[in-house]
Amino acid sequence: MNHKTGFNPLSRTTAHRRAMSRNMVTSLFRFERITTTSSKAKEVRKAAEKLITRSKVDTVHNRRIAAKFIQDEKILNKLFTELGPRMKDRKGGYTRILKIGFRQGDAADMVILELVDYKLPSEDDAAEKPAAKAKKSEPKAKTEKAPAKKTASKAKTAKKAEPAAEEAK
């Protein structure tokens, strides 16, 4: 008998399992922390750690192999420019799994899968975000004024058109 060879099929077809794994690995690299079930996390961890090992050496060959798995170009670039160099001195074990309890609907064992050097957002980060939002809202205020000017100019042209229409009658 051939017991448990290689991987957990997760009760999914091959195509579904492969797509789910790619999506979860991409999300892990994008957010550096995801919440999922224990069995999915253990399978995703295998693929993520292999990709991080590849990303430690930024070559065209390694990028192409990683691109087979990660479809998002921005995340692929982040993997090779940020995550790989950050993990350069580690020999393995780039992810950790933290148990958080059971899901209410079906009592599935839920975990947090995160990169080892993940840092929780601190108060300093929270203070920076509103400042960034304020900067973004300023240009919007300027653009709101511009359409008002356009409507005023349209009203002027409409007034000029009305007397011309009356004269034509």
Side-chain angles (χ1 to χ4, degrees), residues 138-157:
E138 290 175 9
K140 289 182 182 178
K142 291 178 183 177
T143 57
E144 290 174 3
K145 292 178 183 176
K149 291 179 183 176
K150 289 180 182 176
T151 55
S153 64
K154 287 181 182 178
K156 289 179 184 177
T157 56

Side-chain angles (χ1 to χ4, degrees), residues 34-168:
I34 58 173
T35 303
T36 184
T37 62
S38 177
S39 57
K40 286 181 191 173
K42 289 174 184 174
E43 288 301 311
V44 168
R45 177 174 57 178
K46 293 175 187 177
E49 295 212 0
K50 288 177 183 176
L51 287 171
I52 292 172
T53 302
R54 284 258 180 212
S55 71
K56 290 164 87 175
V57 179
D58 191 2
T59 62
V60 175
H61 179 67
N62 285 343
R63 277 187 181 257
R64 286 180 178 164
I65 289 183
K68 287 181 186 177
F69 205 83
I70 297 174
Q71 303 296 319
D72 191 351
E73 195 171 312
K74 290 179 184 176
I75 302 304
L76 185 66
N77 193 32
K78 179 182 179 181
L79 176 64
F80 279 91
T81 57
E82 293 177 29
L83 301 179
R86 265 185 5 205
M87 304 288 186
K88 196 81 168 177
D89 57 338
R90 295 185 71 90
K91 294 187 187 255
Y94 311 111
T95 59
R96 85 168 51 101
I97 294 178
L98 304 170
K99 295 182 181 181
I100 58 173
F102 299 99
R103 188 161 52 197
Q104 188 165 0
D106 61 355
D109 190 17
M110 297 299 289
V111 298
I112 294 174
L113 176 64
E114 68 181 11
L115 298 177
V116 172
D117 61 350
Y118 177 77
K119 294 177 185 159
L120 289 171
S122 63
E123 294 176 5
D124 298 334
D125 296 337
E128 291 174 7
K129 289 183 181 177
K133 289 181 181 177
K135 289 179 182 177
K136 289 180 181 177
S137 64
E138 290 175 9
K140 289 182 182 178
K142 291 178 183 177
T143 57
E144 290 174 3
K145 292 178 183 176
K149 291 179 183 176
K150 289 180 182 176
T151 55
S153 64
K154 287 181 182 178
K156 289 179 184 177
T157 56
K159 288 179 183 177
K160 289 179 183 177
E162 287 176 12
E166 290 175 9
E167 291 175 8

